[in-house]
Amino acid sequence: MDNLRVPGPTPLPDEVLKTINRQMINHRSPEFQQIQGSVITDLQKLFQTKNDVFLLTGSGTGGLEAGVVNTMSSGDKVLSVSIGVFGDRFGAIAKKFGAEVTPLSFEWGQAADPDEVAKALKAEPGIKTVLVTHNETSTGVTNDLKAISAVVKEADKLLVVDAISSLGSIDLPVDDWNIDIAITGSQKGWMVPPGLAMVSISQKGWQAFAEATMPRFYWDFGKAKSYLERGQTPWTPAVSVVYGLEISLKMMLKEGLTNIFARHARVAQAAREGIKSLGLPLFAEASHASNTVTSVAASEGLDTKKMLKIMREEEHVVIAGGQQKLDGKIFRLGHLGWVTEKDIEIVISALKKVLPRAGFKGG
Ligand SMILES: *Cc1c(COP(=O)(O)O)cnc(C)c1O
């Protein structure tokens, strides 16, 4: 079997594989109500929040769209902080639905500077909402969300966060950091298949919801809340993924939040050290290197496409290339969810064999 080391989808533990095979149940039954109830309570613990949390059936991007259309109106001024592909996508969604988006972009590989966010908010007092990515999966950089939130809240703006590849893997105390909307996706750190976006919404988020007039039907948080009160979802949910999540969340709570975050930090450290030992440079700014995805700069003649192909076909190790303007320039190693140092050792020793065959002259 392949060693799947991309930043989502991520491998499933046996306990989850077993449970997602279960027979279907009626999603409007006491049985589903019980499962969803357990999932929501456990998600609140992992989000470190008392806010409402919903399961939305869709991919992470669906969750981002939901975050936009439930809090904004056409013409709203929005600051979109971006450090890569996913930050750009978040701003593009808001723009598509008619928001007046001011982009605040930083060089790919770098983190956002909270002082620049503060300056941008001062320069345009009409801004109502700030969009930001916690962990930018395309570059392997984790923003200092605590510091960014502090300046956003100082200016009393709504803060909507793409936490798709951080929540559940990297510490993100939603309530302590005043995150109004936090969005994650099932196939990242949660050890379940793709198919669910999980979102939280604060009191301030609900105030924005009450005024927001962007078109929404499928993603309506109002409907999500009223159905959740009856233990249901407005539309048929990805039942099998919910089964999986019930089990994976129990596993996560058993391990404990502190231990999960520490394991991701250790595994990421092993990944970075392993890469450096091969003579390859890390792409992300060292002080903000992500604990869920490591990005590596292609150098010394390395043909990343050739390397990825040999890794996949001969070593059965699947890692990711670069996206958009980073295509061919970097490759990425995902280490979130069900992962230990052992998985990283396998990747590093495979790379050691394959790199010289893919043109790499360094090391
Ligand atoms: C994976 C990811 C997305 C997109 O999620 P999909 O499930 O592919 O729609 C968005 N933002 C970040 C930070 C991600 O890692």
Side-chain angles (χ1 to χ4, degrees):
M1 212 176 37
D2 282 345
N3 190 338
L4 183 62
R5 285 294 144 219
V6 298
T10 61
L12 309 180
D14 284 341
E15 296 91 321
V16 172
L17 273 174
K18 260 182 240 139
T19 198
I20 62 176
N21 267 330
R22 263 153 55 198
Q23 187 54 272
M24 280 302 106
I25 53 169
N26 179 7
H27 62 294
R28 312 231 178 265
S29 64
E31 202 179 348
F32 182 81
Q33 175 172 5
Q34 188 272 321
I35 296 172
Q36 182 174 234
S38 153
V39 164
I40 297 291
T41 305
D42 289 350
L43 278 174
Q44 283 170 321
K45 291 178 192 157
L46 281 146
F47 277 55
Q48 305 178 61
T49 188
K50 294 192 165 58
N51 289 340
D52 289 316
V53 172
F54 303 126
L55 302 178
L56 308 176
T57 289
S59 83
T61 306
L64 299 182
E65 182 170 316
V68 167
V69 298
N70 281 284
T71 58
M72 297 174 200
S73 304
S74 179
D76 274 3
K77 289 188 163 57
V78 171
L79 182 71
S80 173
V81 180
S82 176
I83 61 169
V85 170
F86 293 109
D88 286 359
R89 182 183 296 179
F90 212 178
I93 295 169
K95 196 169 171 210
K96 194 65 142 184
F97 281 90
E100 214 179 282
V101 176
T102 303
L104 177 64
S105 299
F106 297 86
E107 196 187 324
W108 290 13
Q110 307 287 308
D113 177 353
D115 292 339
E116 292 296 322
V117 176
K119 260 189 233 160
L121 290 175
K122 265 207 193 86
E124 180 49 270
I127 286 167
K128 285 168 86 169
T129 305
V130 177
L131 303 177
V132 65
T133 314
H134 184 202
N135 183 77
E136 178 53 74
T137 316
S138 69
T139 60
V141 172
T142 306
N143 273 321
D144 185 351
L145 185 59
K146 186 182 184 186
I148 293 171
S149 175
V151 303
V152 171
K153 289 298 150 185
E154 172 71 31
D156 196 26
K157 312 297 181 190
L158 193 78
L159 180 57
V160 183
V161 176
D162 174 348
I164 292 177
S165 61
S166 58
L167 253 171
S169 310
I170 298 172
D171 192 22
L172 170 43
V174 164
D175 287 357
D176 284 356
W177 292 359
N178 293 299
I179 311 302
D180 293 306
I181 310 278
I183 301 142
T184 183
S186 57
Q187 81 277 23
K188 302 289 169 112
W190 302 95
M191 305 187 287
V192 292
L196 288 177
M198 296 89 89
V199 300
S200 68
I201 173 167
S202 69
Q203 274 314 311
K204 191 176 168 75
W206 281 119
Q207 284 161 18
F209 170 83
E211 293 164 12
T213 60
M214 277 186 183
R216 55 178 179 262
F217 189 91
Y218 185 75
W219 298 129
D220 193 320
F221 284 171
K223 286 198 193 84
K225 186 172 172 71
S226 73
Y227 275 81
L228 184 60
E229 279 158 9
R230 287 173 264 160
Q232 297 182 17
T233 51
W235 333 114
T236 314
V239 173
S240 305
V241 187
V242 183
Y243 287 163
L245 199 53
E246 184 187 21
I247 300 304
S248 70
L249 288 168
K250 297 289 178 226
M251 290 171 68
M252 291 171 85
L253 289 171
K254 191 167 170 214
E255 183 178 2
L257 271 66
T258 319
N259 292 334
I260 294 172
F261 304 147
R263 174 169 54 85
H264 281 83
R266 271 198 324 271
V267 168
Q269 184 66 25
R272 292 188 289 263
E273 278 166 11
I275 291 294
K276 281 193 273 187
S277 77
L278 298 169
L280 279 166
L282 296 167
F283 177 72
E285 166 185 18
S287 58
H288 291 77
S290 167
N291 284 345
T292 59
V293 54
T294 292
S295 55
V296 184
S299 72
E300 314 261 5
L302 176 64
D303 176 344
T304 57
K305 297 238 163 77
K306 190 167 175 187
M307 180 274 287
L308 294 171
K309 186 168 187 287
I310 304 174
M311 286 287 279
R312 191 177 65 239
E313 290 177 353
E314 296 182 29
E315 301 297 327
H316 308 288
V317 172
V318 182
I319 52 183
Q323 293 165 284
Q324 297 181 6
K325 68 184 180 194
L326 294 176
D327 185 28
K329 299 212 162 56
I330 66 166
F331 67 89
R332 294 170 303 143
L333 173 52
H335 36 75
L336 67 172
W338 196 45
V339 60
T340 65
E341 283 104 323
K342 183 85 202 128
D343 299 297
I344 301 302
E345 281 168 30
I346 294 168
V347 179
I348 299 298
S349 55
L351 276 170
K352 200 177 175 97
K353 277 201 264 176
V354 171
L355 285 172
R357 293 175 57 201
F360 183 61
K361 306 275 187 298

